[in-house]
Amino acid sequence: ELKVEQNPLFLSMQEGKNYTIYCNYSTTSDRLYWYRQDPGKSLESLFVLLSNGAVKQEGRLMASLDTKARLSTLHITAAVHDLSATYFCAVVRVWGGSNYKLTFGKGTLLTVNP
Amino acid sequence: NAGVTQTPKFQVLKTGQSMTLQCAQDMNHEYMSWYRQDPGMGLRLIHYSVGAGITDQGEVPNGYNVSRSTTEDFPLRLLSAAPSQTSVYFCASSYFDLRAGSYEQYFGPGTRLTVT
């Protein structure tokens, strides 16, 4: 059974600081997703990481994937209040040709304080 | 395109009542799925469908039924609501993007269900 663990689950940061959210998964997968969710809203796709060593950046967020270590990181640079949200990582498992499933981590609630 | 739509947005049920959560998509995606989101639990897959007429169970299927008679619609039925089914329910549709090599998933706005 595929397990996805995120840490930390809660993160309170000051504006301007840097921090990293970690996502570990238990079985081989070469597709990892990061989503953002604002309170009371749906999930918004941030990044798709498709191969070992993949790195993607958007604004103050940078995501990377190490498939050998089964680890992805979401790095926040110089945090601003607008980044306050819950961040989820999710890993794809594929089977039977057309079946696939996303398994989500429990999410990291990020609060950026002025 | 409306994307993925869900109705209702909010619902309160009494224990034992039944209801159907509606989900529709206009992107012609073959794959649709239902998740529930509970505090501190992330999203968990309830049921999914790889095309019209084909459905299968996810991680937490008990107490829920689905059917897929058309590509567009994927309703989720609660047979006899229980307080443990109080949750936020998200429907998603997705496809495999050959160019990007990734499964692109689109989530609906969610239905917040309370069972008393």
Side-chain angles (χ1 to χ4, degrees), chain A residues 31 33 35 37 40-43 48 50 88 92 94-95 98-102 104-106, chain B residues 31 35 37 40 42-43 45 48 50 59 90 94-96 100-103 105 107-109:
Chain A
R31 291 183 180 92
Y33 298 76
Y35 291 91
Q37 185 181 40
K41 303 290 186 185
S42 188
L43 279 76
V48 178
L50 300 179
F88 292 95
V92 167
V94 181
W95 75 98
S98 60
N99 290 333
Y100 57 93
K101 171 190 155 180
L102 281 180
F104 284 81
K106 293 185 177 180
Chain B
Y31 195 101
Y35 294 86
Q37 183 179 23
L43 274 75
L45 183 66
Y48 66 97
V50 299
E59 299 172 68
F90 288 100
S94 59
Y95 73 104
F96 183 70
S102 65
Y103 297 94
Q105 187 132 291
F107 286 90

Side-chain angles (χ1 to χ4, degrees), chain A residues 13 17-19 21 60-61 74-79 83 110:
Chain A
M13 300 175 62
K17 298 291 189 185
N18 304 334
Y19 210 83
I21 299 170
R60 299 173 189 275
L61 300 178
L74 181 67
H75 187 73
I76 302 149
T77 302
L83 290 179
L110 171 66

Side-chain angles (χ1 to χ4, degrees), chain A residues 79-112:
Chain A
V80 293
H81 180 69
D82 283 353
L83 290 179
S84 297
T86 300
Y87 294 85
F88 292 95
C89 64
V91 176
V92 167
R93 183 169 76 90
V94 181
W95 75 98
S98 60
N99 290 333
Y100 57 93
K101 171 190 155 180
L102 281 180
T103 299
F104 284 81
K106 293 185 177 180
T108 297
L109 175 59
L110 171 66
T111 303
V112 181

Side-chain angles (χ1 to χ4, degrees), chain B residues 17-109:
Chain B
Q17 287 184 315
S18 62
M19 80 159 294
T20 300
L21 279 61
Q22 302 291 344
C23 174
Q25 53 98 3
D26 61 358
M27 297 173 282
N28 205 33
H29 292 164
E30 291 294 328
Y31 195 101
M32 295 184 75
S33 48
W34 276 101
Y35 294 86
R36 61 178 287 174
Q37 183 179 23
D38 302 296
M41 297 292 290
L43 274 75
R44 293 181 292 167
L45 183 66
I46 305 172
H47 286 285
Y48 66 97
S49 168
V50 299
I54 307 168
T55 63
D56 207 343
Q57 297 180 349
E59 299 172 68
V60 287
N62 291 344
Y64 307 96
N65 269 1
V66 291
S67 60
R68 183 99 180 269
S69 55
T70 66
T71 299
E72 294 77 22
D73 299 297
F74 190 41
L76 177 72
R77 278 181 285 278
L78 279 70
L79 308 171
S80 176
S84 61
Q85 293 178 303
T86 293
S87 188
V88 180
Y89 291 85
F90 288 100
C91 177
S93 76
S94 59
Y95 73 104
F96 183 70
D97 184 332
L98 278 169
R99 185 179 60 85
S102 65
Y103 297 94
E104 298 299 321
Q105 187 132 291
Y106 296 78
F107 286 90

